[in-house]
């Protein structure tokens, strides 16, 4: 569940929604002059010139004062322009006004994106639950809700969504999120069982070794952590995080020379957290 992939997918979806909103069927047409201005702003939007589009949409709205249904079309577009500029509070104000007038799903979908940026998980979930109730097999929406539930530490609910996704797509990353839901819920045995299942079916999935090693370190089970670390490094010898974890496990087991060498490698490779361990355990160690 790569966050960049998800964000990119959502961005494309909102663009599609914007194109729909610009169609004649979305709202009645404005007068000719306003319509020409809106067309110019739409062109700027298509070129991601959100600041330029915002100026035009605002002028149109100032003149119209939301006197017709078509003006709410423009309000939606201005909300999107604010969103594109990272002005999320302004975007939320506009989209809420739009939704008061028009219950079309485009508005609530954009509001969910805006609330994601604002970190308002409760508002996101409210809109997502409504969408999923209407389209219960939409995997993208379920994946999105699962990520929000994980962020808000509602792990039991998140597992329901994750298991539904796994019925269709049994990729190791998604199965790893199931294990993390137990890990974050302080159920290490259940988490480790899931990570072991992923490793058994996907032995080259390095992320699972990272999860399991992290769990071992947190539980102070250093021998167990080293088992996962060494297996992971055998697959990906250049994994700097695993090297960092190995250094921690070794110095905790009082194997300072080897552990400090690992920490030095990790720090040199850009793992800044290794610096604290070097200061704490390895001062004066070459």
């Amino acid at each position: 569940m790569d966050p960049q992939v998800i964000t990119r997918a959502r961005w494309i979806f909102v663009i599609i929604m914007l194109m729909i909103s610009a169609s004649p069927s979305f709202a009645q047409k404005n007068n000719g002059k306003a319509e020409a201005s809106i067309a110019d702003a739409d062109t700027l939007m298509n070129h991601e010139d959100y600041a330029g589009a915002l100026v035009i949409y605002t002028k149109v709205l100032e003149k119209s004062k939301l006197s017709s249904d078509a003006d709410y079309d423009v309000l939606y577009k201005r909300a999107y322009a604010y969103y594109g500029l990272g002005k999320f509070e302004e975007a939320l104000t506009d989209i809420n006004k739009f939704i008061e007038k028009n219950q079309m799903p485009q508005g609530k979908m954009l509001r969910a994106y805006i609330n994601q940026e604002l970190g308002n998980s409760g508002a996101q979930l409210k809109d997502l639950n409504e969408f999923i109730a209407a389209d219960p097999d939409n995997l993208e929406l379920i994946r999105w809700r699962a990520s929000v539930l994980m962020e808000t530490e509602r792990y039991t609910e998140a597992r329901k969504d994750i298991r539904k996704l796994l019925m269709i797509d049994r990729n190791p990353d998604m199965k790893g999120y199931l294990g993390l839901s137990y890990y974050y819920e302080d159920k290490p045995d259940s988490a480790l069982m899931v990570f072991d299942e992923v490793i058994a079916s996907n032995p080259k999935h390095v992320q699972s070794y990272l999860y399991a090693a992290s769990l071992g370190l947190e539980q102070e089970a250093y021998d167990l952590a080293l088992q996962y670390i060494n297996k992971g490094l055998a697959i990906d010898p250049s994994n700097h995080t695993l090297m960092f974890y190995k250094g921690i496990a070794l110095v905790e087991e009082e194997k300072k020379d080897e552990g400090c060498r690992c920490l030095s490698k990790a720090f040199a490779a850009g793992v800044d957290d290794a610096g604290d361990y070097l200061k704490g355990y390895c001062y004066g160690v070459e």
Side-chain angles (χ1 to χ4, degrees):
M1 193 150 44
D2 185 338
Q4 292 182 339
V5 173
I6 294 172
T7 301
R8 195 158 52 244
R10 292 176 187 171
W11 186 259
I12 292 170
F13 186 84
V14 174
I15 290 174
I16 293 170
M17 292 298 99
L18 179 67
M19 292 169 63
I20 293 171
S21 74
S23 70
S25 62
F26 187 79
Q28 299 172 358
K29 292 184 178 180
N30 279 283
N31 62 55
K33 186 176 181 180
E35 190 177 344
S37 296
I38 294 166
D40 289 341
D42 291 349
T43 299
L44 293 173
M45 289 281 275
N46 289 334
H47 290 88
E48 299 184 11
D49 183 356
Y50 303 116
L54 178 63
V55 171
I56 298 174
Y57 291 142
T58 298
K59 287 181 179 179
V60 170
L61 290 169
E62 286 175 349
K63 289 181 180 180
S64 69
K65 301 186 185 301
L66 294 175
S67 58
S68 71
D69 290 345
D71 296 329
Y72 285 87
D73 180 359
V74 181
L75 189 65
Y76 171 88
K77 294 178 182 183
R78 190 174 72 170
Y80 183 85
Y82 277 131
Y83 176 76
L85 289 167
K87 296 183 176 182
F88 304 120
E89 292 289 356
E90 293 89 338
L92 185 62
T93 298
D94 275 1
I95 204 62
N96 279 334
K97 286 182 182 178
F98 173 83
I99 291 169
E100 288 175 7
K101 180 70 175 181
N102 194 321
Q103 292 294 312
M104 293 183 75
Q106 290 93 326
K108 291 185 179 181
M109 182 60 72
L110 179 54
R111 183 168 67 181
Y113 296 137
I114 294 167
N115 279 317
Q116 179 188 41
E117 298 294 342
L118 290 171
N120 190 335
S121 300
Q124 278 186 80
L125 287 172
K126 182 178 179 180
D127 284 331
L128 285 172
N129 287 338
E130 185 175 328
F131 286 127
I132 293 170
D135 187 7
D137 295 321
N138 189 311
L139 299 185
E140 175 61 23
L141 291 175
I142 295 171
R143 189 177 291 111
W144 184 355
R145 184 172 68 179
S147 70
V148 177
L149 290 169
M150 288 285 286
E151 290 167 7
T152 54
E153 301 181 4
R154 295 164 66 171
Y155 302 119
T156 301
E157 294 173 71
R159 281 195 289 274
K160 292 178 182 178
D161 280 348
I162 293 169
R163 287 195 174 98
K164 184 168 185 176
L165 291 166
L166 286 170
M167 291 174 65
I168 299 166
D169 182 8
R170 297 190 63 81
N171 73 74
D173 290 326
M174 186 58 61
K175 188 70 176 286
Y177 269 80
L178 181 64
L180 285 176
S181 74
Y182 288 114
Y183 181 5
Y184 296 147
E185 205 172 37
D186 294 324
K187 296 179 178 178
D189 292 341
S190 297
L192 200 60
M193 185 181 301
V194 174
F195 297 145
D196 284 341
E197 289 174 0
V198 179
I199 291 169
S201 57
N202 300 272
K204 293 185 178 180
H205 189 250
V206 175
Q207 192 64 42
S208 297
Y209 297 101
L210 282 162
Y211 290 153
S214 178
L215 188 154
L217 292 175
E218 188 171 296
Q219 297 295 311
E220 299 183 1
Y222 302 118
D223 284 339
L224 179 64
L226 281 168
Q227 292 178 33
Y228 290 107
I229 291 165
N230 289 330
K231 288 178 182 178
L233 285 171
I235 297 166
D236 183 7
S238 64
N239 191 295
H240 308 312
T241 303
L242 281 172
M243 185 62 66
F244 171 46
Y245 287 174
K246 184 170 184 176
I248 295 173
L250 289 169
V251 296
E252 291 289 358
E253 289 198 326
E254 299 185 0
K255 299 175 182 178
K256 289 184 63 176
D257 288 352
E258 186 182 356
C260 291
R261 282 195 293 270
C262 292
L263 289 170
S264 294
K265 287 181 183 178
F267 185 68
V271 183
D272 293 338
D273 288 344
D276 292 332
Y277 280 88
L278 285 167
K279 292 176 183 177
Y281 290 89
C282 307
Y283 184 78
V285 176
E286 298 295 329

